[in-house]
Every structure is written in structure tokens, then in C-alpha cells.
Amino acid sequence: MGAQQVAERFAELYGAEPEGVWAAPGRVNLIGEHTDYNDGFVMPFALPHQALAAVSRRADGLLRLHSADVEGGIVERRLDDLAPQSDESWTAYPAGVVWALREAGHAITGADVHLSSTVPTGAGLSSSAALEVVIALALDDLYGLGLRRWKLARLCQRAENVYVGAPTGIMDQTASACCEQGHALFLDTRDLSQQQIPFDLAAEGLRLLVVDTRVEHAHSGGEYGKRRAGCEKGAALLGVDALRDVPHAGLDAALARLGDDEEVVRLVRHVVTEDHRVERVVGLLRSGETRAIGPVLTEGHASLRDDFRISCPELDLVVDTALAAGALGARMTGGGFGGSAIVLAEATDVDNLSKAVEEAFAAAGYTAPRVFEAVPSAGARRLR
Ligand code: GLA
């Protein structure tokens, strides 16, 4: 669905043209998983899949929300009634952003919103961050708030953490707000400093496939929070602010200090080696050795599977099958416990690889996966 259609549907629903239409993409993370809430490094890029929002202001303290992707009519909320964890439906994402903006002192007086998204939900591709960021950007523009992109991302994260109640990090919202076409975003989640790293796979005869396993995941469930708490315990035991502060060269010594707390040892080892993998991938991309990032991605998967323990049989099957069929590298991406994997491959191998993964899923009796090519796309922006 394009900007024109979203605007037309808005006019049907609300009886007037919208003041504007905005877009915000989903993302895949190339490397740097479960490092963001440890103040570490991540490297996502934006997908061509995006959430679109047609929005107009209101002056009467009402928020009216409609989605093309969900059954049902317009949902109406009074701004003064918005309260954390009062809503378990999709409306919590846009409403949470309005709540977070108002809580930060911005005088939002209401809005009419029509949303339509092509980001697959529950697939680990940040469909919720796309919804949050598109609303935040629309309100920032319409109300003239002049917020920087990183600040918008922070407010969206607050909506997700406090209003929705999912204890996630800052990666997804920053990716949606800040990514640029043809680039991966090298983000330091401690100070949100960013570098756009050129990532043009097609020019090198390469492709990156996303394989959505169709195993749905949720971060408000307990496992994500448990990993996060385990990492915080590790940092406390090591006397650092965050695991980001444990240098890779000092990892063995740090692990020795953790003694026989096997679970914390595994979590710390993942985070410290993963931050190092991000730096290695950045170095390889900068020196033009794109193919050489493949094994680093695959190492990352092993670490998430064996140390962080957030993979699942379907994700492992994608990785194992893709590697056996000649992929340069493969790993799960996103929060884990389902969702999607990424596969780096020679362009000439892509058809065989996709077929091999689809056949392996059929043989295992799994739901057919959704396979598509990911091209680094534009971040959030106004369309009209
Ligand atoms: C989810 C969270 C992110 C990040 C990833 C794991 O996508 O929303 O903040 O923690 O999981 O890297």
C-alpha cells in the first residue's frame, strides 16, 4: 500500500484529507544481538517493509486509531486516560508513543491516525518499532517538536518499556528512525553515536536472505527479561556499569572471576564476544572483505544457540541447511525464540539455498518459512 492509498483510506475513515503521511521501516540486525541493553554495539539495517501512517492533529484531547491490518473499526482513547500497561492490543504501540511524548512535556492535544504496515508481525523484524517510530515522527512534524532522531527513538523505547511493558533495548527504534538506504547502521548503544557503513551486497554479487521461520516470538514474555537480568547480574558481579565494559582481551580473566555460576558465565561470554564480532564485521566491511563476514555471522549464531540459549530448532535448521547448501554465513536475527534468520550467500546460490531450506522445513513437518531478499533501505521519513 502506498502513501496515496493510505491517505485516501484516512479520508474515508475521518472525513478529511490527512495533514501528512509518514513511513518507518522494520529492520534486520546484521550482527550484535542482545548487546543493546548491555551498552554494546549493534549493526542493523532497514528493510523495504514499512509502516505507513496518515495523521492529522486534533485539539480535543482524543486519539483515534485505525489499522488496515487488524479487524475492527476506529479505536478512540482520551489522552488523559492513557496509562502504562492498560492496553494489550496493537493500539498500545501508537498510544504508548503519545503517552511518552506527553510525559516528556510535549503538548500533544490529539490525533487521528490510520496505519498500514507491510512489516511481518511476530517475525523478529521490528514491526512494533516501525509502528512506534512512524507515529513519533508524524507527531514530531505536525506539532513542530523538533526532536532529534535519536531522541525520538528513546521516546519510542520508553513507550515499549513502560507503556507496553516489554523490557527491550534501543536498537530497533534507532534502526527504524536512523537507518539510511544502502547502509548498515553501526550504533554504539551507550551514547547512541552512529556510523553509516556502506553495505551494497548486490554490487559484490552477494545477497542477504531473510528466512522467517513463522515461529512467533514475544519479548514481553519472561525469557527476554531473564537474559537481561542475568546480564545485569554479571555486570554487578564484575563491578562494571554494563557488560560493554568487559574488554574482549580480558574475557578469560572476567569469566574466571565469575567462578562456577555457569549461567552467568555463558551470558557474559556471549555479550563480550558478540560486541567483538560487531567490531570485526565493521572492520571487514570497511576493508572491502564482505565475504569474510560470513563466518563471523555463523559464529554469532553458535553463541546465541549455545551460550545465550535463545535459538529454536527451526532457526537452527535454517542455519545448518543454508551452510550445508553453500551459504557464506547464517544466523538468527532479533530477540530469538523464533522469528527470523539471515543468510549471506553468493547471488548465484540463492535459488538453491531457498529451495534447500524450504525442503528441509517440509521434511521436518514445519510450517513453510517465508523467504525474501533484504536490501538495506531508507529509514523513517515523511512521504507527503
Ligand atoms: C529485540 C529487542 C532489541 C534487542 C534484540 C536482541 O529485537 O527489541 O532491543 O535487544 O531483541 O538483539
Side-chain angles (χ1 to χ4, degrees), residues 3-345:
Q4 177 69 26
Q5 277 167 296
V6 172
E8 281 169 12
R9 183 76 180 115
F10 180 101
E12 280 168 29
L13 287 160
Y14 296 111
E17 287 286 309
E19 288 184 90
V21 178
W22 290 260
R27 62 98 189 93
V28 286
N29 189 18
L30 185 60
I31 190 76
E33 222 64 88
H34 288 265
T35 48
D36 60 353
Y37 52 78
N38 292 297
D39 277 3
F41 303 122
V42 295
M43 208 180 175
F45 64 85
L47 290 171
H49 307 68
Q50 55 188 9
L52 300 190
V55 184
S56 287
R57 283 167 292 182
R58 298 179 64 88
D60 59 359
L62 286 182
L63 174 63
R64 298 201 291 174
L65 300 166
H66 184 271
S67 167
D69 314 312
V70 185
E71 296 280 308
I74 295 171
V75 178
E76 191 171 295
R77 291 278 147 78
R78 285 169 42 85
L79 297 185
D80 288 342
D81 293 343
L82 298 179
Q85 301 190 38
S86 60
D87 181 355
E88 291 192 350
S89 74
W90 67 273
T91 54
Y93 298 106
V97 170
V98 175
W99 170 84
L101 282 167
R102 281 173 37 101
E103 229 228 357
H106 301 296
I108 308 293
T109 54
D112 286 338
V113 177
H114 171 60
L115 286 156
S116 175
S117 178
T118 54
V119 187
T121 55
L125 302 174
S126 295
S127 58
S128 47
L131 285 189
E132 291 157 3
V133 171
V134 79
I135 294 298
L137 186 62
L139 295 176
D140 177 60
D141 264 3
L142 289 177
Y143 281 92
L145 306 180
L147 294 169
R148 306 280 300 273
R149 291 295 174 111
W150 66 266
K151 183 74 188 163
L152 284 180
R154 272 276 182 244
L155 286 164
C156 291
Q157 182 197 18
R158 187 160 164 72
E160 179 125 5
N161 289 170
V162 181
Y163 195 91
V164 178
T168 51
I170 189 67
M171 169 169 68
D172 304 345
Q173 293 80 7
T174 313
S176 188
C178 301
C179 278
E180 288 179 11
Q181 190 157 14
H183 294 77
L185 177 71
F186 175 33
L187 174 71
D188 181 339
T189 64
R190 171 159 274 169
D191 60 7
L192 298 190
S193 58
Q194 314 181 355
Q195 291 173 50
Q196 301 286 346
I197 310 287
F199 192 53
D200 183 0
L201 293 172
E204 302 194 47
L206 295 172
R207 297 284 185 274
L208 196 126
L209 295 180
V210 175
V211 182
D212 170 10
T213 62
R214 313 295 281 260
V215 179
E216 292 222 4
H217 75 121
H219 299 324
S220 41
E223 290 299 326
Y224 184 98
K226 274 191 213 158
R227 298 304 184 286
R228 184 168 182 158
C231 290
E232 281 160 9
K233 183 178 169 192
L237 288 171
L238 292 168
V240 290
D241 286 343
L243 292 182
R244 146 68 175 283
D245 297 313
V246 179
H248 186 254
L251 177 60
D252 288 343
L255 296 183
R257 283 177 55 205
L258 290 171
D260 52 12
D261 191 336
E262 201 227 329
E263 193 191 334
V264 175
V265 164
R266 284 191 285 96
L267 296 178
V268 170
R269 187 164 52 214
H270 166 72
V271 173
V272 176
T273 57
E274 185 78 351
D275 270 334
H276 188 55
R277 279 186 283 275
V278 179
E279 295 182 294
R280 284 161 66 200
V281 165
V282 171
L284 289 167
L285 290 178
R286 283 216 171 103
S287 56
E289 297 169 84
T290 309
R291 283 174 175 76
I293 74 171
V296 188
L297 304 187
T298 307
E299 262 177 52
H301 185 75
S303 181
L304 290 163
R305 181 191 60 208
D306 303 335
D307 273 346
F308 222 66
R309 302 203 176 165
I310 56 166
S311 188
C312 65
E314 291 83 352
L315 287 166
D316 293 342
L317 186 63
V318 176
V319 170
D320 294 345
T321 308
L323 293 172
L328 296 165
R331 61 180 287 271
M332 54 152 284
T333 186
F337 310 106
S340 301
I342 53 174
V343 176
L344 179 70

